[in-house]
């Protein structure tokens, strides 16, 4: 998770992470020497042990569900088992390996395909499931 600096959207007031900790598990985080799909050593499973002192990357990051009202409640990562963010033209979908087919199910598959086919601004959609990588088309 190294190129999030272009993702500075404002959080939607009515949405909160709650007990979701997908972004403390799914992405690789260089600053924490954390590989992908491994729990951050500071994660309690429901929160951050070093919340007040967490790295800037953790402070800045918001998944797309936190900032984009077009993603409805079905896209709450705690329900969808996916976290989604943008890196320039790339829409990155990290899927919880405990739910590897989540992205293939309704309503998600059709929406991901729609984003890929729209291709607005060269947009493309990449899905990561454990060590597997898929380009949505
Ligand atoms: S994936 Fe989204 S909702 Fe879940 S903890 Fe990260 S920013 Fe919050
Ligand atoms: S430092 Fe805290 S907020 Fe950052 S990944 Fe680890 S547990 Fe999550």
């Amino acid at each position: 998770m190294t190129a999030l600096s272009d993702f500075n959207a404002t959080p939607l007031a009515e949405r909160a992470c709650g007990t979701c900790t997908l972004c403390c598990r799914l992405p690789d985080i260089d600053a924490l020497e954390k590989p992908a799909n491994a729990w951050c050593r500071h994660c309690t499973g429901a929160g951050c042990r070093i919340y007040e002192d967490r790295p800037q990357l953790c402070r800045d990051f918001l998944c797309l569900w936190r900032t984009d009202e077009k993603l409805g409640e079905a896209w709450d990562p705690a329900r969808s088992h996916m976290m989604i963010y943008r890196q320039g033209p790339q829409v990155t979908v990290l899927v919880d390996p405990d739910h590897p087919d989540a992205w293939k199910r309704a309503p998600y598959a059709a929406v991901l395909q729609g984003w890929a086919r729209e291709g607005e601004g060269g947009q493309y959609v990449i899905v990561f499931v454990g060590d597997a990588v898929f380009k949505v088309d």
Side-chain angles (χ1 to χ4, degrees), residues 37 129-133:
N37 300 307
V129 189
D131 292 331
V133 185

Side-chain angles (χ1 to χ4, degrees), residues 23-24 29 32 40 42-43 47-48 50 54-55 58:
C23 56
C24 306
I29 304 177
L32 292 165
C40 171
H42 302 300
C43 187
C48 176
I50 59 161
R54 67 198 188 284
C58 302

Side-chain angles (χ1 to χ4, degrees), residues 71-104:
L71 294 186
E73 287 307 306
W75 293 86
D76 177 345
R79 284 175 61 176
S80 68
H81 306 295
M82 293 177 263
M83 59 172 282
I84 301 174
Y85 56 97
R86 287 185 192 279
Q87 296 168 292
Q90 179 170 316
V91 177
T92 300
V93 182
L94 303 186
V95 180
D96 181 345
D98 294 338
H99 301 269
D101 293 330
W103 64 289
K104 297 178 182 172

Side-chain angles (χ1 to χ4, degrees), residues 44-66:
T44 64
C48 176
R49 233 176 246 117
I50 59 161
Y51 189 77
E52 295 303 325
D53 300 315
R54 67 198 188 284
Q56 194 62 43
L57 183 72
C58 302
R59 295 173 189 275
D60 293 344
F61 180 72
L62 291 168
C63 73
L64 211 53
W65 179 75
R66 289 289 314 274

